[in-house]
PDB file of all heavy atoms in Angstrom:
ATOM      1  N   CYS A 404     -69.601  15.067 144.233  1.00  0.00           N
ATOM      2  CA  CYS A 404     -69.614  13.710 143.676  1.00  0.00           C
ATOM      3  C   CYS A 404     -70.563  12.837 144.477  1.00  0.00           C
ATOM      4  O   CYS A 404     -70.717  13.026 145.677  1.00  0.00           O
ATOM      5  CB  CYS A 404     -68.222  13.093 143.768  1.00  0.00           C
ATOM      6  SG  CYS A 404     -66.930  14.055 142.993  1.00  0.00           S
ATOM      7  N   GLY A 405     -71.131  11.856 143.816  1.00  0.00           N
ATOM      8  CA  GLY A 405     -71.898  10.910 144.607  1.00  0.00           C
ATOM      9  C   GLY A 405     -73.016  10.225 143.878  1.00  0.00           C
ATOM     10  O   GLY A 405     -73.190  10.345 142.659  1.00  0.00           O
ATOM     11  N   ASP A 406     -73.791   9.514 144.685  1.00  0.00           N
ATOM     12  CA  ASP A 406     -74.978   8.810 144.218  1.00  0.00           C
ATOM     13  C   ASP A 406     -76.151   9.768 144.396  1.00  0.00           C
ATOM     14  O   ASP A 406     -76.671   9.929 145.497  1.00  0.00           O
ATOM     15  CB  ASP A 406     -75.165   7.530 145.031  1.00  0.00           C
ATOM     16  CG  ASP A 406     -76.382   6.733 144.597  1.00  0.00           C
ATOM     17  OD1 ASP A 406     -77.124   7.207 143.708  1.00  0.00           O
ATOM     18  OD2 ASP A 406     -76.612   5.647 145.154  1.00  0.00           O
ATOM     19  N   TRP A 407     -76.528  10.402 143.279  1.00  0.00           N
ATOM     20  CA  TRP A 407     -77.625  11.370 143.311  1.00  0.00           C
ATOM     21  C   TRP A 407     -78.983  10.682 143.197  1.00  0.00           C
ATOM     22  O   TRP A 407     -80.017  11.315 143.360  1.00  0.00           O
ATOM     23  CB  TRP A 407     -77.457  12.395 142.186  1.00  0.00           C
ATOM     24  CG  TRP A 407     -76.299  13.324 142.378  1.00  0.00           C
ATOM     25  CD1 TRP A 407     -74.968  12.996 142.394  1.00  0.00           C
ATOM     26  CD2 TRP A 407     -76.354  14.741 142.587  1.00  0.00           C
ATOM     27  NE1 TRP A 407     -74.200  14.122 142.596  1.00  0.00           N
ATOM     28  CE2 TRP A 407     -75.024  15.213 142.715  1.00  0.00           C
ATOM     29  CE3 TRP A 407     -77.401  15.665 142.658  1.00  0.00           C
ATOM     30  CZ2 TRP A 407     -74.715  16.556 142.924  1.00  0.00           C
ATOM     31  CZ3 TRP A 407     -77.094  17.007 142.854  1.00  0.00           C
ATOM     32  CH2 TRP A 407     -75.771  17.444 142.994  1.00  0.00           C
ATOM     33  N   ASN A 408     -78.999   9.395 142.898  1.00  0.00           N
ATOM     34  CA  ASN A 408     -80.229   8.590 142.846  1.00  0.00           C
ATOM     35  C   ASN A 408     -81.299   9.163 141.926  1.00  0.00           C
ATOM     36  O   ASN A 408     -82.500   9.006 142.169  1.00  0.00           O
ATOM     37  CB  ASN A 408     -80.783   8.373 144.256  1.00  0.00           C
ATOM     38  CG  ASN A 408     -80.287   7.069 144.868  1.00  0.00           C
ATOM     39  OD1 ASN A 408     -80.354   6.021 144.227  1.00  0.00           O
ATOM     40  ND2 ASN A 408     -79.794   7.127 146.089  1.00  0.00           N
ATOM     41  N   ILE A 409     -80.862   9.825 140.859  1.00  0.00           N
ATOM     42  CA  ILE A 409     -81.775  10.324 139.831  1.00  0.00           C
ATOM     43  C   ILE A 409     -81.111  10.137 138.477  1.00  0.00           C
ATOM     44  O   ILE A 409     -79.965  10.565 138.286  1.00  0.00           O
ATOM     45  CB  ILE A 409     -82.115  11.817 140.016  1.00  0.00           C
ATOM     46  CG1 ILE A 409     -82.753  12.090 141.380  1.00  0.00           C
ATOM     47  CG2 ILE A 409     -83.050  12.299 138.905  1.00  0.00           C
ATOM     48  CD1 ILE A 409     -82.872  13.576 141.707  1.00  0.00           C
ATOM     49  N   ALA A 410     -81.792   9.501 137.552  1.00  0.00           N
ATOM     50  CA  ALA A 410     -81.352   9.443 136.158  1.00  0.00           C
ATOM     51  C   ALA A 410     -81.968  10.652 135.460  1.00  0.00           C
ATOM     52  O   ALA A 410     -83.195  10.779 135.408  1.00  0.00           O
ATOM     53  CB  ALA A 410     -81.792   8.146 135.501  1.00  0.00           C
ATOM     54  N   HIS A 411     -81.137  11.522 134.947  1.00  0.00           N
ATOM     55  CA  HIS A 411     -81.634  12.811 134.457  1.00  0.00           C
ATOM     56  C   HIS A 411     -82.354  12.708 133.125  1.00  0.00           C
ATOM     57  O   HIS A 411     -83.431  13.277 132.934  1.00  0.00           O
ATOM     58  CB  HIS A 411     -80.460  13.787 134.335  1.00  0.00           C
ATOM     59  CG  HIS A 411     -80.874  15.173 133.963  1.00  0.00           C
ATOM     60  ND1 HIS A 411     -80.139  15.974 133.118  1.00  0.00           N
ATOM     61  CD2 HIS A 411     -81.962  15.904 134.318  1.00  0.00           C
ATOM     62  CE1 HIS A 411     -80.743  17.140 132.987  1.00  0.00           C
ATOM     63  NE2 HIS A 411     -81.845  17.126 133.696  1.00  0.00           N
ATOM     64  N   ARG A 412     -81.785  11.966 132.193  1.00  0.00           N
ATOM     65  CA  ARG A 412     -82.329  11.904 130.840  1.00  0.00           C
ATOM     66  C   ARG A 412     -82.604  10.470 130.431  1.00  0.00           C
ATOM     67  O   ARG A 412     -82.156   9.527 131.082  1.00  0.00           O
ATOM     68  CB  ARG A 412     -81.331  12.538 129.859  1.00  0.00           C
ATOM     69  CG  ARG A 412     -81.116  14.005 130.096  1.00  0.00           C
ATOM     70  CD  ARG A 412     -79.970  14.639 129.328  1.00  0.00           C
ATOM     71  NE  ARG A 412     -79.491  13.921 128.155  1.00  0.00           N
ATOM     72  CZ  ARG A 412     -78.487  14.360 127.396  1.00  0.00           C
ATOM     73  NH1 ARG A 412     -77.887  15.498 127.684  1.00  0.00           N
ATOM     74  NH2 ARG A 412     -78.080  13.662 126.349  1.00  0.00           N
ATOM     75  N   GLU A 413     -83.329  10.309 129.338  1.00  0.00           N
ATOM     76  CA  GLU A 413     -83.622   8.962 128.843  1.00  0.00           C
ATOM     77  C   GLU A 413     -82.342   8.193 128.548  1.00  0.00           C
ATOM     78  O   GLU A 413     -82.286   6.974 128.707  1.00  0.00           O
ATOM     79  CB  GLU A 413     -84.508   9.047 127.598  1.00  0.00           C
ATOM     80  CG  GLU A 413     -85.905   9.580 127.894  1.00  0.00           C
ATOM     81  CD  GLU A 413     -86.699   9.901 126.640  1.00  0.00           C
ATOM     82  OE1 GLU A 413     -86.187   9.642 125.527  1.00  0.00           O
ATOM     83  OE2 GLU A 413     -87.825  10.423 126.771  1.00  0.00           O
ATOM     84  N   ALA A 414     -81.303   8.896 128.134  1.00  0.00           N
ATOM     85  CA  ALA A 414     -80.026   8.244 127.834  1.00  0.00           C
ATOM     86  C   ALA A 414     -79.327   7.749 129.088  1.00  0.00           C
ATOM     87  O   ALA A 414     -78.319   7.045 128.989  1.00  0.00           O
ATOM     88  CB  ALA A 414     -79.107   9.214 127.094  1.00  0.00           C
ATOM     89  N   ASP A 415     -79.870   8.081 130.260  1.00  0.00           N
ATOM     90  CA  ASP A 415     -79.213   7.727 131.513  1.00  0.00           C
ATOM     91  C   ASP A 415     -79.727   6.442 132.147  1.00  0.00           C
ATOM     92  O   ASP A 415     -79.277   6.081 133.244  1.00  0.00           O
ATOM     93  CB  ASP A 415     -79.337   8.879 132.510  1.00  0.00           C
ATOM     94  CG  ASP A 415     -78.586  10.128 132.045  1.00  0.00           C
ATOM     95  OD1 ASP A 415     -77.519   9.958 131.427  1.00  0.00           O
ATOM     96  OD2 ASP A 415     -79.076  11.246 132.282  1.00  0.00           O
ATOM     97  N   LEU A 416     -80.657   5.757 131.497  1.00  0.00           N
ATOM     98  CA  LEU A 416     -81.046   4.429 131.965  1.00  0.00           C
ATOM     99  C   LEU A 416     -81.556   3.618 130.786  1.00  0.00           C
ATOM    100  O   LEU A 416     -82.177   4.146 129.869  1.00  0.00           O
ATOM    101  CB  LEU A 416     -82.084   4.480 133.083  1.00  0.00           C
ATOM    102  CG  LEU A 416     -83.513   4.912 132.792  1.00  0.00           C
ATOM    103  CD1 LEU A 416     -84.422   4.509 133.946  1.00  0.00           C
ATOM    104  CD2 LEU A 416     -83.609   6.401 132.572  1.00  0.00           C
ATOM    105  N   LYS A 417     -81.276   2.329 130.831  1.00  0.00           N
ATOM    106  CA  LYS A 417     -81.575   1.464 129.695  1.00  0.00           C
ATOM    107  C   LYS A 417     -83.080   1.342 129.459  1.00  0.00           C
ATOM    108  O   LYS A 417     -83.568   1.554 128.358  1.00  0.00           O
ATOM    109  CB  LYS A 417     -80.958   0.077 129.960  1.00  0.00           C
ATOM    110  CG  LYS A 417     -81.009  -0.888 128.792  1.00  0.00           C
ATOM    111  CD  LYS A 417     -80.085  -0.443 127.666  1.00  0.00           C
ATOM    112  CE  LYS A 417     -79.844  -1.542 126.660  1.00  0.00           C
ATOM    113  NZ  LYS A 417     -78.885  -2.553 127.110  1.00  0.00           N
ATOM    114  N   ASN A 418     -83.815   1.014 130.519  1.00  0.00           N
ATOM    115  CA  ASN A 418     -85.258   0.783 130.373  1.00  0.00           C
ATOM    116  C   ASN A 418     -86.056   1.989 130.862  1.00  0.00           C
ATOM    117  O   ASN A 418     -86.853   1.901 131.786  1.00  0.00           O
ATOM    118  CB  ASN A 418     -85.672  -0.476 131.157  1.00  0.00           C
ATOM    119  CG  ASN A 418     -85.151  -1.749 130.520  1.00  0.00           C
ATOM    120  OD1 ASN A 418     -84.920  -1.800 129.316  1.00  0.00           O
ATOM    121  ND2 ASN A 418     -84.958  -2.779 131.328  1.00  0.00           N
ATOM    122  N   TRP A 419     -85.857   3.119 130.207  1.00  0.00           N
ATOM    123  CA  TRP A 419     -86.493   4.341 130.692  1.00  0.00           C
ATOM    124  C   TRP A 419     -88.006   4.311 130.548  1.00  0.00           C
ATOM    125  O   TRP A 419     -88.731   4.842 131.401  1.00  0.00           O
ATOM    126  CB  TRP A 419     -85.905   5.572 130.006  1.00  0.00           C
ATOM    127  CG  TRP A 419     -86.160   5.684 128.534  1.00  0.00           C
ATOM    128  CD1 TRP A 419     -85.371   5.236 127.531  1.00  0.00           C
ATOM    129  CD2 TRP A 419     -87.299   6.285 127.909  1.00  0.00           C
ATOM    130  NE1 TRP A 419     -85.932   5.517 126.308  1.00  0.00           N
ATOM    131  CE2 TRP A 419     -87.122   6.167 126.511  1.00  0.00           C
ATOM    132  CE3 TRP A 419     -88.442   6.932 128.390  1.00  0.00           C
ATOM    133  CZ2 TRP A 419     -88.044   6.654 125.597  1.00  0.00           C
ATOM    134  CZ3 TRP A 419     -89.367   7.421 127.480  1.00  0.00           C
ATOM    135  CH2 TRP A 419     -89.166   7.272 126.104  1.00  0.00           C
ATOM    136  N   LYS A 420     -88.520   3.677 129.500  1.00  0.00           N
ATOM    137  CA  LYS A 420     -89.976   3.658 129.300  1.00  0.00           C
ATOM    138  C   LYS A 420     -90.697   2.931 130.421  1.00  0.00           C
ATOM    139  O   LYS A 420     -91.782   3.335 130.842  1.00  0.00           O
ATOM    140  CB  LYS A 420     -90.313   3.000 127.953  1.00  0.00           C
ATOM    141  CG  LYS A 420     -89.953   3.856 126.748  1.00  0.00           C
ATOM    142  CD  LYS A 420     -90.371   3.186 125.443  1.00  0.00           C
ATOM    143  CE  LYS A 420     -90.020   4.055 124.245  1.00  0.00           C
ATOM    144  NZ  LYS A 420     -90.383   3.406 122.962  1.00  0.00           N
ATOM    145  N   ALA A 421     -90.089   1.857 130.923  1.00  0.00           N
ATOM    146  CA  ALA A 421     -90.708   1.065 131.983  1.00  0.00           C
ATOM    147  C   ALA A 421     -90.537   1.702 133.355  1.00  0.00           C
ATOM    148  O   ALA A 421     -91.158   1.248 134.323  1.00  0.00           O
ATOM    149  CB  ALA A 421     -90.114  -0.342 131.998  1.00  0.00           C
ATOM    150  N   ASN A 422     -89.730   2.764 133.461  1.00  0.00           N
ATOM    151  CA  ASN A 422     -89.425   3.356 134.762  1.00  0.00           C
ATOM    152  C   ASN A 422     -89.930   4.785 134.915  1.00  0.00           C
ATOM    153  O   ASN A 422     -89.484   5.501 135.816  1.00  0.00           O
ATOM    154  CB  ASN A 422     -87.908   3.315 134.995  1.00  0.00           C
ATOM    155  CG  ASN A 422     -87.428   1.935 135.394  1.00  0.00           C
ATOM    156  OD1 ASN A 422     -87.657   1.483 136.509  1.00  0.00           O
ATOM    157  ND2 ASN A 422     -86.771   1.252 134.464  1.00  0.00           N
ATOM    158  N   ARG A 423     -90.867   5.183 134.055  1.00  0.00           N
ATOM    159  CA  ARG A 423     -91.349   6.557 134.110  1.00  0.00           C
ATOM    160  C   ARG A 423     -92.098   6.883 135.398  1.00  0.00           C
ATOM    161  O   ARG A 423     -92.232   8.053 135.764  1.00  0.00           O
ATOM    162  CB  ARG A 423     -92.228   6.857 132.892  1.00  0.00           C
ATOM    163  CG  ARG A 423     -91.411   7.070 131.621  1.00  0.00           C
ATOM    164  CD  ARG A 423     -92.265   7.277 130.398  1.00  0.00           C
ATOM    165  NE  ARG A 423     -92.913   6.031 129.979  1.00  0.00           N
ATOM    166  CZ  ARG A 423     -93.568   5.882 128.838  1.00  0.00           C
ATOM    167  NH1 ARG A 423     -93.689   6.907 128.013  1.00  0.00           N
ATOM    168  NH2 ARG A 423     -94.119   4.731 128.515  1.00  0.00           N
ATOM    169  N   LYS A 424     -92.578   5.847 136.114  1.00  0.00           N
ATOM    170  CA  LYS A 424     -93.263   6.071 137.386  1.00  0.00           C
ATOM    171  C   LYS A 424     -92.458   5.534 138.564  1.00  0.00           C
ATOM    172  O   LYS A 424     -92.986   5.358 139.662  1.00  0.00           O
ATOM    173  CB  LYS A 424     -94.654   5.427 137.344  1.00  0.00           C
ATOM    174  CG  LYS A 424     -95.588   6.065 136.314  1.00  0.00           C
ATOM    175  CD  LYS A 424     -96.981   5.462 136.362  1.00  0.00           C
ATOM    176  CE  LYS A 424     -97.906   6.127 135.335  1.00  0.00           C
ATOM    177  NZ  LYS A 424     -99.279   5.548 135.372  1.00  0.00           N
ATOM    178  N   SER A 425     -91.179   5.283 138.321  1.00  0.00           N
ATOM    179  CA  SER A 425     -90.301   4.741 139.365  1.00  0.00           C
ATOM    180  C   SER A 425     -89.470   5.847 139.989  1.00  0.00           C
ATOM    181  O   SER A 425     -89.048   6.792 139.318  1.00  0.00           O
ATOM    182  CB  SER A 425     -89.356   3.687 138.774  1.00  0.00           C
ATOM    183  OG  SER A 425     -90.078   2.611 138.218  1.00  0.00           O
ATOM    184  N   ALA A 426     -89.214   5.716 141.300  1.00  0.00           N
ATOM    185  CA  ALA A 426     -88.303   6.641 141.965  1.00  0.00           C
ATOM    186  C   ALA A 426     -86.959   6.606 141.261  1.00  0.00           C
ATOM    187  O   ALA A 426     -86.468   5.549 140.880  1.00  0.00           O
ATOM    188  CB  ALA A 426     -88.144   6.245 143.429  1.00  0.00           C
ATOM    189  N   GLY A 427     -86.396   7.775 141.065  1.00  0.00           N
ATOM    190  CA  GLY A 427     -85.143   7.874 140.349  1.00  0.00           C
ATOM    191  C   GLY A 427     -85.321   8.357 138.923  1.00  0.00           C
ATOM    192  O   GLY A 427     -84.357   8.801 138.288  1.00  0.00           O
ATOM    193  N   PHE A 428     -86.571   8.303 138.411  1.00  0.00           N
ATOM    194  CA  PHE A 428     -86.830   8.806 137.062  1.00  0.00           C
ATOM    195  C   PHE A 428     -88.180   9.516 137.001  1.00  0.00           C
ATOM    196  O   PHE A 428     -88.782   9.631 135.949  1.00  0.00           O
ATOM    197  CB  PHE A 428     -86.771   7.664 136.045  1.00  0.00           C
ATOM    198  CG  PHE A 428     -86.596   8.126 134.613  1.00  0.00           C
ATOM    199  CD1 PHE A 428     -85.497   8.875 134.239  1.00  0.00           C
ATOM    200  CD2 PHE A 428     -87.541   7.801 133.638  1.00  0.00           C
ATOM    201  CE1 PHE A 428     -85.337   9.295 132.925  1.00  0.00           C
ATOM    202  CE2 PHE A 428     -87.388   8.215 132.319  1.00  0.00           C
ATOM    203  CZ  PHE A 428     -86.277   8.968 131.967  1.00  0.00           C
ATOM    204  N   LEU A 429     -88.658   9.974 138.142  1.00  0.00           N
ATOM    205  CA  LEU A 429     -89.922  10.702 138.184  1.00  0.00           C
ATOM    206  C   LEU A 429     -89.736  12.112 137.616  1.00  0.00           C
ATOM    207  O   LEU A 429     -88.655  12.697 137.738  1.00  0.00           O
ATOM    208  CB  LEU A 429     -90.433  10.787 139.623  1.00  0.00           C
ATOM    209  CG  LEU A 429     -90.790   9.448 140.284  1.00  0.00           C
ATOM    210  CD1 LEU A 429     -91.095   9.659 141.761  1.00  0.00           C
ATOM    211  CD2 LEU A 429     -91.980   8.794 139.577  1.00  0.00           C
ATOM    212  N   PRO A 430     -90.763  12.673 137.002  1.00  0.00           N
ATOM    213  CA  PRO A 430     -90.645  14.005 136.406  1.00  0.00           C
ATOM    214  C   PRO A 430     -90.146  15.068 137.375  1.00  0.00           C
ATOM    215  O   PRO A 430     -89.303  15.897 137.013  1.00  0.00           O
ATOM    216  CB  PRO A 430     -92.075  14.308 135.931  1.00  0.00           C
ATOM    217  CG  PRO A 430     -92.704  12.975 135.715  1.00  0.00           C
ATOM    218  CD  PRO A 430     -92.099  12.078 136.756  1.00  0.00           C
ATOM    219  N   GLU A 431     -90.642  15.009 138.631  1.00  0.00           N
ATOM    220  CA  GLU A 431     -90.239  16.022 139.607  1.00  0.00           C
ATOM    221  C   GLU A 431     -88.748  15.923 139.927  1.00  0.00           C
ATOM    222  O   GLU A 431     -88.070  16.935 140.130  1.00  0.00           O
ATOM    223  CB  GLU A 431     -91.049  15.858 140.899  1.00  0.00           C
ATOM    224  CG  GLU A 431     -92.539  16.043 140.730  1.00  0.00           C
ATOM    225  CD  GLU A 431     -93.274  14.751 140.356  1.00  0.00           C
ATOM    226  OE1 GLU A 431     -92.616  13.778 139.925  1.00  0.00           O
ATOM    227  OE2 GLU A 431     -94.508  14.732 140.489  1.00  0.00           O
ATOM    228  N   GLU A 432     -88.245  14.699 139.983  1.00  0.00           N
ATOM    229  CA  GLU A 432     -86.824  14.491 140.272  1.00  0.00           C
ATOM    230  C   GLU A 432     -85.961  14.995 139.123  1.00  0.00           C
ATOM    231  O   GLU A 432     -84.949  15.678 139.313  1.00  0.00           O
ATOM    232  CB  GLU A 432     -86.553  13.005 140.508  1.00  0.00           C
ATOM    233  CG  GLU A 432     -87.267  12.423 141.715  1.00  0.00           C
ATOM    234  CD  GLU A 432     -87.156  10.914 141.785  1.00  0.00           C
ATOM    235  OE1 GLU A 432     -87.161  10.254 140.721  1.00  0.00           O
ATOM    236  OE2 GLU A 432     -87.055  10.392 142.902  1.00  0.00           O
ATOM    237  N   ARG A 433     -86.366  14.659 137.913  1.00  0.00           N
ATOM    238  CA  ARG A 433     -85.598  15.064 136.734  1.00  0.00           C
ATOM    239  C   ARG A 433     -85.615  16.580 136.560  1.00  0.00           C
ATOM    240  O   ARG A 433     -84.599  17.186 136.192  1.00  0.00           O
ATOM    241  CB  ARG A 433     -86.154  14.357 135.502  1.00  0.00           C
ATOM    242  CG  ARG A 433     -86.028  12.840 135.571  1.00  0.00           C
ATOM    243  CD  ARG A 433     -86.812  12.160 134.481  1.00  0.00           C
ATOM    244  NE  ARG A 433     -86.277  12.508 133.169  1.00  0.00           N
ATOM    245  CZ  ARG A 433     -86.942  12.350 132.028  1.00  0.00           C
ATOM    246  NH1 ARG A 433     -88.189  11.873 132.046  1.00  0.00           N
ATOM    247  NH2 ARG A 433     -86.383  12.669 130.879  1.00  0.00           N
ATOM    248  N   GLU A 434     -86.754  17.200 136.855  1.00  0.00           N
ATOM    249  CA  GLU A 434     -86.856  18.666 136.766  1.00  0.00           C
ATOM    250  C   GLU A 434     -85.935  19.320 137.792  1.00  0.00           C
ATOM    251  O   GLU A 434     -85.305  20.353 137.511  1.00  0.00           O
ATOM    252  CB  GLU A 434     -88.307  19.102 136.986  1.00  0.00           C
ATOM    253  CG  GLU A 434     -89.220  18.767 135.808  1.00  0.00           C
ATOM    254  CD  GLU A 434     -90.697  18.877 136.172  1.00  0.00           C
ATOM    255  OE1 GLU A 434     -91.011  19.389 137.270  1.00  0.00           O
ATOM    256  OE2 GLU A 434     -91.535  18.433 135.359  1.00  0.00           O
ATOM    257  N   TRP A 435     -85.847  18.725 138.979  1.00  0.00           N
ATOM    258  CA  TRP A 435     -84.959  19.259 140.010  1.00  0.00           C
ATOM    259  C   TRP A 435     -83.502  19.184 139.552  1.00  0.00           C
ATOM    260  O   TRP A 435     -82.742  20.148 139.721  1.00  0.00           O
ATOM    261  CB  TRP A 435     -85.155  18.470 141.303  1.00  0.00           C
ATOM    262  CG  TRP A 435     -84.277  18.912 142.434  1.00  0.00           C
ATOM    263  CD1 TRP A 435     -84.494  19.970 143.281  1.00  0.00           C
ATOM    264  CD2 TRP A 435     -83.033  18.331 142.838  1.00  0.00           C
ATOM    265  NE1 TRP A 435     -83.468  20.071 144.197  1.00  0.00           N
ATOM    266  CE2 TRP A 435     -82.557  19.072 143.949  1.00  0.00           C
ATOM    267  CE3 TRP A 435     -82.286  17.245 142.377  1.00  0.00           C
ATOM    268  CZ2 TRP A 435     -81.360  18.762 144.595  1.00  0.00           C
ATOM    269  CZ3 TRP A 435     -81.099  16.935 143.018  1.00  0.00           C
ATOM    270  CH2 TRP A 435     -80.641  17.690 144.109  1.00  0.00           C
ATOM    271  N   LEU A 436     -83.121  18.071 138.931  1.00  0.00           N
ATOM    272  CA  LEU A 436     -81.747  17.940 138.449  1.00  0.00           C
ATOM    273  C   LEU A 436     -81.484  18.919 137.303  1.00  0.00           C
ATOM    274  O   LEU A 436     -80.367  19.445 137.170  1.00  0.00           O
ATOM    275  CB  LEU A 436     -81.494  16.503 137.996  1.00  0.00           C
ATOM    276  CG  LEU A 436     -80.068  15.967 138.172  1.00  0.00           C
ATOM    277  CD1 LEU A 436     -79.538  16.218 139.570  1.00  0.00           C
ATOM    278  CD2 LEU A 436     -80.014  14.481 137.843  1.00  0.00           C
ATOM    279  N   THR A 437     -82.503  19.192 136.513  1.00  0.00           N
ATOM    280  CA  THR A 437     -82.365  20.215 135.473  1.00  0.00           C
ATOM    281  C   THR A 437     -82.057  21.569 136.102  1.00  0.00           C
ATOM    282  O   THR A 437     -81.233  22.332 135.582  1.00  0.00           O
ATOM    283  CB  THR A 437     -83.648  20.296 134.628  1.00  0.00           C
ATOM    284  OG1 THR A 437     -83.820  19.060 133.916  1.00  0.00           O
ATOM    285  CG2 THR A 437     -83.583  21.438 133.628  1.00  0.00           C
TER     286      THR A 437
END
């Protein structure tokens, strides 16, 4: 359990389009969570 500091999918953050280059929603982070 915990704060993984990664939003995995677009459904996991409201403003996903504006955060595609932000820490927490970077492609490498999301791929790791996958």
Side-chain angles (χ1 to χ4, degrees):
C404 304
D406 180 356
W407 291 65
N408 267 311
I409 301 170
H411 185 217
R412 295 170 20 180
E413 293 170 4
D415 295 325
L416 71 164
K417 188 69 165 283
N418 290 333
W419 66 268
K420 288 183 179 178
N422 283 287
R423 284 176 288 190
K424 295 184 179 180
S425 299
F428 198 59
L429 296 172
E431 298 88 344
E432 297 171 325
R433 297 169 64 198
E434 288 165 10
W435 179 82
L436 212 49
T437 295

